Amino acid sequence: MSMQSVTHAVNVRLGEDERSIVVLDQTLLPNETKYLTLTDRDAMWEAIYKLRVRGAPCIGIFAAYAMAVLAKGIEAADFDGFYAEYSALSQYLGSSRPTAVNLACMLRRMDGVVLAHRESPRQELLDALTAEAKAIHAEDMEMCRKISEYGLSLLKDGDGVITHCNAGPLATSRYGTAQGPFYLAKEKGMNIHVYVDETRPLLQGARLTSYELTRAGVPCTLICDNMASIVMKQGKVQAVFFGCDRIARNGDVANKIGSSGLAVLAHYYGIPVYSLGPSTTIDFHCPSGDDIPIEERPHSEIRELYYEKPMALPEVECYNPAFDVTDHSLLSGIVTERGIVRAPFEENFRKLFPEAMP
Ligand code: MRU
């Protein structure tokens, strides 16, 4: 398996006819590699909700392609009729998952394209939507590469790094964000060992991260989430790298459930924690982590999903928040495509992204 076949794997693309989207069904990995061809709104909504397509940037890219495809099926004769139908479809897709801001952000960007073509012939509008979705995809590739380089600058040969969930090529376009530095290290002949949290309950670490890293030849060790403390205490890791689903203006970071626990542990052991993500994951209008909506998912994911048999009685009460918020005080930095942002985050976001800050 070549490194490129992992870092450049295509998990989301337009179908040949540009009237469908082809996605790799991530729920079946690592046991089965199956691509789905999606043409209708319900299948697209379900693909996001069920995490067939997942990871904040990847969801944003998928949603952009989805709107480009769905717009082609709108038959309304005039612009107002078209826009009413388009908006309803966009709102519907946007309701699939609430936490990762890339979904809302990319739907808003596509909406802007529609409004900018109010006076254009319909075909021109449709072509512009397709072009925008492709641009969003290409921009993410570019951002991931830069984030990976800045991330790698934080590591030295021989370091161990612990990561959580999956922030690799599967969750993005190429390389990934929090995982990108590990591939770059391998390309440059640096020795970095990655400890991969399995990431209960959906096992993105076990099923996806350890799968991607192993196939790319990056040395990694899979651990259960509750083993992070001993790995840190034994001096096996010099940094924590995880992704992000929404970053608030003050630097609070929402990421996969368990991320904040990892950060609290790392703080105790004096290990630096970095969140890595593109600026499309920064919600400049969100003041703090308290304002980030946290998705709650079905209890069956805890009780039975990925087990051969249910591991709790069906009537057992569960609580299944899909994300948590790491307080900015626990972060040594946020790695973006424009550089590494350190505290005070709000002030430094303003310096790096002056055009985006309200
Ligand atoms: O629920 P998921 O699998 O979509 O959650 C994904 C994460 O939390 C990732 O760490 C985050 O989206 C960053 S992906 C580059």
Side-chain angles (χ1 to χ4, degrees):
M1 175 69 50
S2 75
M3 161 89 80
Q4 268 223 350
S5 64
V6 176
T7 54
H8 290 47
V10 179
N11 50 358
V12 174
R13 66 168 173 85
L14 269 186
E16 300 304 327
D17 56 359
E18 303 207 331
R19 289 187 160 264
S20 59
I21 318 176
V22 180
V23 296
L24 174 62
D25 185 347
Q26 298 191 32
T27 62
L28 303 176
L29 291 171
N31 299 308
E32 201 182 332
T33 302
K34 184 174 171 188
Y35 288 86
L36 307 171
T37 301
L38 310 175
T39 50
D40 69 87
R41 59 165 224 158
D42 292 338
M44 292 172 185
W45 189 95
E46 195 260 8
I48 304 176
Y49 179 71
K50 284 275 175 72
L51 277 66
R52 301 187 195 287
V53 175
R54 51 150 294 286
C58 181
I59 295 171
I61 294 163
F62 174 82
Y65 281 133
M67 290 315 301
V69 166
L70 293 173
K72 292 181 179 156
I74 301 175
E75 284 170 1
D78 63 357
F79 180 84
D80 289 343
F82 175 89
Y83 188 56
E85 272 190 57
Y86 181 94
S87 301
L89 286 165
S90 175
Q91 269 173 31
Y92 174 67
L93 268 196
S95 71
S96 54
R97 295 193 76 189
T99 304
V101 74
N102 303 60
L103 174 61
C105 170
M106 293 312 157
L107 288 173
R108 220 174 18 252
R109 191 164 149 182
M110 296 296 277
D111 198 72
V113 173
V114 175
L115 291 175
H117 287 80
R118 180 183 286 274
E119 309 295 340
S120 312
R122 182 68 52 83
Q123 192 54 48
E124 220 171 272
L125 186 164
L126 297 176
D127 290 346
L129 283 173
T130 303
E132 190 74 0
K134 288 180 178 170
I136 286 169
H137 199 170
E139 285 166 25
D140 190 68
M141 291 180 199
E142 188 62 28
M143 289 191 289
C144 281
R145 176 78 199 188
K146 289 186 177 147
I147 291 164
S148 305
E149 275 161 12
Y150 283 119
L152 185 59
S153 74
L154 296 165
L155 302 177
K156 58 181 190 325
D157 201 33
D159 274 355
V161 184
I162 188 164
T163 192
H164 193 72
C165 195
N166 173 266
L170 282 167
T172 59
S173 49
R174 273 185 195 170
Y175 285 91
T177 53
Q179 252 167 263
F182 311 145
Y183 300 112
L184 277 193
K186 167 93 184 158
E187 278 176 10
K188 291 176 196 282
M190 254 172 95
N191 177 32
I192 301 293
H193 194 98
V194 187
Y195 286 83
V196 181
D197 271 1
E198 65 173 351
T199 316
R200 283 276 293 146
L202 295 181
L203 305 177
Q204 289 93 333
R207 293 188 305 103
L208 310 174
T209 303
S210 72
Y211 163 82
E212 288 186 308
L213 293 175
T214 301
R215 282 168 28 116
V218 175
C220 67
T221 303
L222 180 63
I223 59 169
C224 300
D225 298 340
N226 53 9
M227 297 169 189
S229 177
I230 193 165
V231 167
M232 291 182 184
K233 187 170 181 166
Q234 290 171 341
K236 289 180 164 46
V237 297
Q238 283 65 51
V240 176
F241 277 15
F242 54 65
C244 43
D245 286 82
R246 190 185 298 235
I247 303 175
R249 206 164 59 213
N250 70 344
D252 289 350
V253 169
N255 192 51
K256 179 52 52 197
I257 191 73
S259 302
S260 74
L262 205 57
V264 170
L265 283 177
H267 185 68
Y268 178 80
Y269 289 112
I271 297 168
V273 178
Y274 295 94
S275 174
L276 296 86
S279 53
T280 47
T281 309
I282 307 171
D283 187 347
F284 293 101
H285 294 274
C286 178
S288 83
D290 293 341
D291 305 290
I292 299 177
I294 300 294
E295 175 183 11
E296 278 191 43
R297 296 193 56 88
H299 297 177
S300 55
E301 291 181 349
I302 295 180
R303 284 194 296 246
E304 61 205 62
L305 194 70
Y306 296 121
Y307 287 124
E308 202 170 319
K309 290 179 183 164
M311 284 294 137
L313 292 173
E315 62 270 34
V316 168
E317 183 67 26
C318 298
Y319 175 47
N320 188 13
F323 300 94
D324 58 24
V325 174
T326 298
D327 195 86
H328 61 273
S329 63
L330 295 171
L331 292 169
S332 296
I334 295 174
V335 182
T336 73
E337 74 277 11
R338 289 199 196 164
I340 302 167
V341 184
R342 296 183 190 270
F345 289 102
E346 183 154 351
E347 207 178 302
N348 290 330
F349 276 145
R350 198 173 291 283
K351 284 184 193 148
L352 213 54
F353 301 98
E355 76 290 359
M357 275 296 229

